[in-house]
Amino acid sequence: MRKILATDIGGTKTLFQLSTEDGDVILEKSYESQGFADFDSVLATFLNEPSVKSYQIDQACFAVAGPVSGRQAQVTNLPWQLDADDLAAKFAINHIVLCNDFEAVAHGINCLDDNDVICLQQGHETVDAPRAVIGAGTGLGQALMLPTKGDAWQVVATEGGHTDFGPRDQLQISLVEHLITKFGHVSYERLVSGPGIVEIYQFLLIHEDYDENEQLRLAMEEGDPAAAISHFAANQQDALATKAMGLFSNIYAAQAANFALSVLPYGGLYIAGGIASKNVKLFQQEAFLDSFLDKGKMSALLTKIPIRLILEAKVGLLGARLLARQSQV
């Protein structure tokens, strides 16, 4: 029976799943991406796991958080480059597919159950209309889905998360001025991401002249700073964290609406990524939808677009497995 390797490569974590063609999982394991100099090293580590190393891998899909060009890919937030042909030869893998990570997320949507998705806006779904998917994690991914024959979709990966950030009020103008001084170019990914939450928090700390919460500062130093900010906000333990997450949500919704206006996804706009699945209540607040709909003459049009939040954190891995399984050896 054929063995299938699905891999979701992110700037923070790289997740592997080796399974049989029938879907029986042999091993699923996550590694901290920053702990490896290149993708070859983390792949070698997984393939040397005792429960894996005796297997011949027939088909693999590597979903990459970054642009893919033919048989090569570059991870945006890591110095990792992938060449599918080199990897196939080096690790004796019969066939490798490379795809953008949000291409994999888009394909993974059809692998989800009803309880893996929640509705943020009912809209008016059109079954033969495009879909769109957006999601923030270490970076900001976006992909569009075009209907083809039957239940199939043509997925188009994009780098739309790197479009220029457009401030919408005086506070956001001050924010972008602060970030231009710090970084030069300011994209939506600079703000709609885990690192973006931290940038917003640090900006507000200075701009609003807050006294920093000592417990939150220690939590940020000892663990994931974005997760610490979102945790303190969700539990109403810090006013600055709450304001930072509110501003983050506002900007996230605005970019989701920008993408929706570009695609008109009457088949559904899907919000993916670890930040959304871990902060569901933030996205269910009226403020998120109010910001999404705040597009002047196009506000009424945006009410027609179904918005769904994906709860399944491994949707990209599901899509990568589907693509690997469908690939030709």
Side-chain angles (χ1 to χ4, degrees), residues 268-291:
L269 173 67
Y270 289 81
I271 299 175
I275 294 176
S277 63
K278 294 173 183 175
N279 294 274
V280 174
K281 290 183 179 179
L282 178 69
F283 291 81
Q284 290 178 314
Q285 292 176 6
E286 288 185 11
F288 180 83
L289 194 57
D290 288 345
S291 182

Side-chain angles (χ1 to χ4, degrees), residues 8-298:
D8 190 357
I9 304 167
T12 301
K13 293 184 178 180
T14 296
L15 181 61
F16 292 92
Q17 184 195 82
L18 181 65
S19 64
T20 67
E21 187 178 14
D22 291 342
D24 296 324
V25 176
I26 297 167
L27 181 65
E28 184 174 299
K29 190 158 185 179
S30 176
Y31 299 90
E32 297 294 327
S33 300
Q34 299 284 348
F36 298 86
D38 50 40
F39 177 69
D40 294 41
S41 300
V42 66
L43 177 59
T45 300
F46 177 77
L47 295 179
N48 282 323
E49 293 283 350
S51 58
V52 171
K53 61 184 180 181
S54 62
Y55 290 103
Q56 168 66 47
I57 297 172
D58 298 287
Q59 293 157 252
C61 176
F62 300 140
V64 181
V68 176
S69 178
R71 303 287 288 163
Q72 298 182 329
Q74 169 73 54
V75 183
T76 299
N77 293 308
L78 287 173
W80 289 8
Q81 296 182 346
L82 285 74
D83 184 300
D85 295 326
D86 287 349
L87 290 167
K90 182 175 181 179
F91 294 100
I93 299 172
N94 289 339
H95 187 66
I96 294 176
V97 175
L98 292 182
C99 71
N100 175 267
D101 61 335
F102 264 72
E103 182 179 352
V105 169
H107 283 287
I109 288 173
N110 285 338
C111 303
L112 300 176
D113 296 326
D114 289 344
N115 58 2
D116 292 326
V117 178
I118 62 170
C119 179
L120 300 182
Q121 176 172 270
Q122 191 67 38
H124 301 286
E125 183 176 0
T126 304
V127 294
D128 59 349
R131 292 175 175 175
V133 57
I134 184 172
T138 305
L140 177 63
Q142 297 181 185
L144 59 94
M145 305 168 63
L146 304 175
T148 59
K149 293 181 179 180
D151 295 329
W153 294 87
Q154 178 187 356
V155 178
V156 181
T158 83
E159 291 297 336
H162 295 279
T163 54
D164 298 336
F165 167 59
R168 303 166 65 220
D169 57 29
Q170 191 58 53
L171 178 62
Q172 292 185 23
I173 289 171
S174 298
L175 172 60
V176 77
E177 288 174 345
H178 167 78
L179 293 174
I180 286 172
T181 301
K182 187 173 182 179
F183 297 110
H185 178 252
V186 182
S187 67
Y188 273 97
E189 179 175 283
R190 184 68 71 183
L191 293 162
V192 186
S193 61
I197 291 174
V198 180
E199 291 293 343
I200 292 170
Y201 171 86
Q202 292 175 339
F203 161 74
L204 290 174
L205 182 63
I206 299 168
H207 185 268
E208 304 290 306
D209 196 26
Y210 275 88
D211 291 325
E212 188 169 22
N213 183 317
E214 182 70 14
Q215 290 183 321
L216 174 53
R217 184 183 65 80
L218 290 174
M220 291 173 65
E221 291 175 354
E222 293 172 357
D224 180 342
I229 293 166
S230 64
H231 175 78
F232 272 68
N235 291 280
Q236 299 181 330
Q237 293 176 292
D238 182 69
L240 175 57
T242 300
K243 185 161 187 176
M245 292 305 295
L247 182 51
F248 167 80
S249 170
N250 181 298
I251 297 170
Y252 198 148
Q255 175 61 354
N258 290 340
F259 191 32
L261 288 174
S262 300
V263 178
L264 295 181
Y266 294 119
L269 173 67
Y270 289 81
I271 299 175
I275 294 176
S277 63
K278 294 173 183 175
N279 294 274
V280 174
K281 290 183 179 179
L282 178 69
F283 291 81
Q284 290 178 314
Q285 292 176 6
E286 288 185 11
F288 180 83
L289 194 57
D290 288 345
S291 182
F292 179 84
L293 297 175
D294 186 18
K295 292 297 183 185
K297 296 177 180 179
M298 293 295 107

